[in-house]
Amino acid sequence: MPGDQGGPARATAPRPYDAVVARTGSGGGVIAVLACAALMAGSCAASHPRAGASASSQPYPAATPGPSPRLAAGRYLAIAVAGNRRLEIDFDRLQERDKNHLRAAAGDLRDAAATERLFDRRLLAIALPPATERIARLLYQVNQARASLTAAAARSVSLPQLRSYQRRLAAANGPVEEAVRVIRSQLGLPPPSTS
């Protein structure tokens, strides 16, 4: 997002899905707590027999193969790389050549919001392990909120109004980054790069 008088600061622009190591911040801890709760609930439910049934009467779970974590990781990386590439173009333009041109900056933001939404749709189309699926749905929700905020910034009628979105957009990154970190960890991927 465009910054104050001296121009935009890269650190305040909405960060791509895997561009920055997730940081704890407003909302980020919420994702971590929800992720832990989801994992614990799933493991507890699987380890306890139903009420009123003895452990010996429980049927063995069907040996149906779940989604391959390796395949899911590859598909996740493919959509993350594509999304990151597009967002880098949008935010580079926004911070450089378009920073003082409202119409062009608004176009960059509209494209970024569309890219965020496309990533979300592609994410939900990936067959993920159940615990990761829960976090992916949380990522979808927080990223949709960020995309809506990005689209609202694109409707600004002046550069000062556009710049007024800077802090809110930066704050919207925290929950997205935290969910990305958890998903990458669950899929056995390295943490997001800092470049």
Side-chain angles (χ1 to χ4, degrees), residues 140-158:
Y140 174 86
Q141 292 171 357
V142 296
N143 205 37
Q144 286 290 297
R146 183 174 74 170
S148 294
L149 186 60
T150 303
R155 292 188 295 273
S156 296
V157 296
S158 68

Side-chain angles (χ1 to χ4, degrees), residues 17-101:
Y17 308 108
D18 291 325
V20 184
V21 175
R23 62 178 162 73
T24 10
S26 65
V30 172
I31 297 292
V33 169
L34 290 173
C36 291
L39 290 173
M40 289 173 47
S43 64
C44 288
S47 66
H48 294 292
R50 291 184 311 238
S54 69
S56 62
S57 68
Q58 289 294 315
Y60 288 102
T64 56
S68 162
R70 187 173 180 180
L71 181 61
R75 289 183 177 163
Y76 174 82
L77 282 178
I79 67 169
V81 166
N84 288 345
R85 191 173 299 132
R86 187 72 232 164
L87 289 174
E88 284 294 323
I89 291 169
D90 290 332
F91 290 117
D92 284 349
R93 286 179 182 164
L94 185 63
Q95 295 170 1
E96 294 166 6
R97 74 171 199 200
D98 297 342
K99 69 181 176 184
N100 294 316
H101 303 283

